[in-house]
Amino acid sequence: MKNKIEKIRDEFLKQLAQVTDNETLRELELKYLSRKGEFSEIMHGLKDVSIEMRKELGELANTVKTEMQTKFNEISRSLENYGKKSEFIDVTLPGEKFTNGHIHPLTLVQNEIEDLFTSLGFMIGDGPELESDYYNFTALNVPPLHPARDMQDTFYIDSKNKDGQYDLVMRTQTSPVQIRLMQKYGAPLKAIIPGRAFRSEATDSRHEHTFYQLEGIMIGKDINFANLKNMLEIVGKKLFGQNTELRMRPKFFPFVEPGNNGEYTCSLCQGKGCRVCKYTGWLEIVGAGLVHPDVLRAGGIDPDIYSGFAFGFGLTRLAMLKYNINDARLFNSGDIKFLEQF
Ligand code: DAH
C-alpha cells in the first residue's frame, strides 16, 4: 500500500510536469485528486488495514496528498497567468456605452437662480425641513389659531415637546429660514434659500404634498419697495427673457407689509393670453413684500434701524413653466423617461 501511494505520487508529478494546457490539467485533477480519483480510493482502502498500519499509512497519505495538491495549485496558477498574457483583444469591437446622468429640471432652475443671486452678492442659506411650529408660523406673524394657518395645512409630527405639546411640523414654506438666518447673521443680510416644503394636500396635476420653493431676503438700512421691484424684474428677465415685464398686485401675507403677488408676462404666449395664464397674459409666480416689523423683531433685528424685503418663488411651478411640464407629480416620480429629457 505504501508503494502504491508513492507510485501514484510519482506518476502524478511526472504527468503534471508535462502539462501545457488547462484541459489536461483538469483531466489530471479528476483522475488523481477528485473525490472519485485514485487518491480517494486509497483513503477508502485504509479502513481494511490494521489499526497500527492505518495510522502510519494515513499520515503518509495525507502528506503526499498535500504535496500533490500544492504542486497542482502551482502549475494551475502559472497556467492561468500564461493564458492571460496570450489573451486576444479585438480592438475593432464596439466599446461599452456609458450613459450620462441627467440634471433634474428642478436643479436646473435652482442653479440658474442661484447663479444670478450669488453674482449679486447673496448667500445661499439652508434650514431644517422638520421645523418647529414656532419658526414655521408664530415667528412669521401667524400665531396659533390665526386663520392664515388654514391655508397651509401640513404634516404634524407625533412627538411632544417638554411642555406636552406637539410642536414639530414638516415646514410648509421656506420662509422660516428667514428668521433663522436673521438670528444667526443679523443685519445687513442678503440671502436666498432654496428647499423643499410640504403640505397636506389632495394631489393633482398642479399640487404635490412635497414641492420646492426659493425664498429670498434682503435686510439693510433704507431698503424699500423700489429695491424689491427692481430685484424681481431682474429675476424675471433672467428666467423668461429680456422682454419679460413684471406687475405687482396687492396680496396679504402675514409676514410682509405691504405684501403683493408678482406676476410676469406669460412666457408661453408672450402676454397674448393662453390656457396656462388663463387668458390674462400674466403668470402669478412670486409672493413678496417688505418684511413686517414683528418678523424683524422675531429675528432679533431692530425695525427702527433696518428694513428689508422678502420674496418666495414656487420653484416647482417655475420649472413647470420653463420646461412646459404639465404635471407637478412628475418631479418626484423617479420616472427615467421623464428625467432623460433634460
Ligand atoms: N411663503 C409664502 C408661501 O409659501 C410665499 C412668500 C410670500 C414668501 C411672500 C415671502 C413673501 O418671503 O414675502 O405662500
Side-chain angles (χ1 to χ4, degrees):
M1 194 135 183
K2 199 168 159 197
N3 285 346
K4 205 170 167 200
I5 295 178
E6 280 165 355
K7 199 166 148 244
I8 291 183
R9 179 196 49 201
D10 294 345
E11 253 169 44
F12 173 76
L13 291 180
K14 203 167 113 206
Q15 291 183 36
L16 192 65
Q18 288 160 7
V19 169
T20 53
D21 63 296
N22 265 316
E23 213 177 313
T24 335
L25 190 72
R26 293 303 145 212
E27 273 167 21
L28 275 186
E29 184 179 30
L30 213 64
K31 184 157 176 233
Y32 290 95
L33 300 171
S34 73
R35 282 209 297 145
K36 294 208 173 111
E38 296 205 4
F39 222 87
S40 284
E41 252 170 56
I42 298 268
M43 296 300 220
H44 281 300
L46 284 180
K47 65 180 185 317
D48 301 329
V49 299
S50 69
I51 300 205
E52 306 92 73
M53 283 293 279
R54 198 185 299 168
K55 190 162 175 276
E56 195 194 327
L57 286 174
E59 264 172 33
L60 177 72
N62 270 330
T63 333
V64 169
K65 172 113 200 258
T66 316
E67 186 189 343
M68 283 165 67
Q69 187 68 54
T70 315
K71 203 77 197 158
F72 175 85
N73 291 348
E74 241 172 59
I75 301 283
S76 163
R77 232 175 289 127
S78 71
L79 266 188
E80 268 169 33
N81 288 340
Y82 175 73
K84 281 214 182 91
K85 259 185 239 148
S86 66
E87 190 177 290
F88 174 67
I89 297 176
D90 183 353
V91 290
T92 63
L93 282 176
E96 259 179 60
K97 198 170 169 199
F98 289 97
T99 46
N100 275 340
H102 293 250
I103 297 184
H104 196 280
L106 284 169
T107 315
L108 287 171
V109 182
Q110 182 179 329
N111 286 350
E112 199 175 333
I113 306 184
E114 282 183 4
D115 280 352
L116 171 69
F117 277 99
T118 46
S119 77
L120 295 170
F122 280 69
M123 62 182 274
I124 298 172
D126 200 7
E129 291 176 348
L130 181 57
E131 186 54 281
S132 72
D133 179 290
Y134 173 78
Y135 278 103
N136 195 77
F137 294 120
T138 312
L140 290 167
N141 238 356
V142 189
L145 305 181
H146 191 288
R149 286 194 177 208
D150 287 351
M151 297 192 304
Q152 301 192 357
D153 194 11
T154 182
F155 303 102
Y156 284 80
I157 304 301
D158 190 13
S159 76
K160 292 182 179 168
N161 65 12
K162 58 180 183 326
D163 300 325
Q165 274 162 345
Y166 296 108
D167 69 344
L168 285 178
V169 305
M170 297 306 289
R171 68 177 179 199
T172 60
Q173 45 187 350
T174 41
S175 309
V177 190
Q178 287 187 24
I179 308 283
R180 290 185 175 276
L181 295 185
M182 284 190 263
Q183 289 178 340
K184 185 163 180 193
Y185 298 106
L189 178 68
K190 284 161 84 179
I192 54 166
I193 305 121
R196 276 204 297 189
F198 310 83
R199 287 183 202 177
S200 172
E201 303 231 44
T203 58
D204 59 31
S205 63
R206 289 178 50 135
H207 299 91
E208 241 305 29
H209 49 70
T210 301
F211 55 98
Y212 286 74
Q213 294 192 328
L214 190 134
E215 193 84 13
I217 183 163
M218 178 163 178
I219 311 274
K221 286 182 180 157
D222 303 323
I223 300 291
N224 58 34
F225 208 85
N227 300 135
L228 169 63
K229 183 160 184 274
N230 177 247
M231 187 60 72
L232 293 184
E233 275 172 355
I234 293 174
V235 182
K237 289 188 197 308
K238 165 88 177 171
L239 286 173
F240 299 114
Q242 284 304 313
N243 294 328
T244 307
E245 282 184 56
L246 169 77
R247 85 172 178 183
M248 299 174 101
R249 302 211 293 172
K251 167 126 198 234
F252 172 74
F253 294 102
F255 28 91
V256 282
E257 180 60 34
N260 70 92
N261 244 335
E263 302 178 6
Y264 291 121
T265 317
C266 176
S267 57
L268 297 165
C269 63
Q270 264 66 48
K272 288 190 210 70
C274 67
R275 203 179 51 85
V276 176
C277 61
K278 298 198 195 98
Y279 303 97
T280 61
W282 297 93
L283 291 171
E284 259 182 49
I285 302 233
V286 54
L290 293 184
V291 183
H292 195 287
D294 285 345
V295 173
L296 287 172
R297 270 186 216 106
I301 290 174
D302 185 348
D304 291 331
I305 305 174
Y306 291 102
S307 56
F309 63 70
F311 55 83
F313 284 93
L315 211 55
T316 300
R317 182 156 159 71
L318 267 184
M320 287 176 80
L321 289 168
K322 203 168 156 73
Y323 297 111
N324 215 346
I325 297 166
N326 58 13
D327 195 329
R329 292 167 294 193
L330 282 168
F331 291 104
N332 294 333
S333 67
D335 183 345
I336 297 285
K337 283 202 193 112
F338 166 69
L339 294 172
E340 275 177 350
Q341 299 174 59
F342 301 96

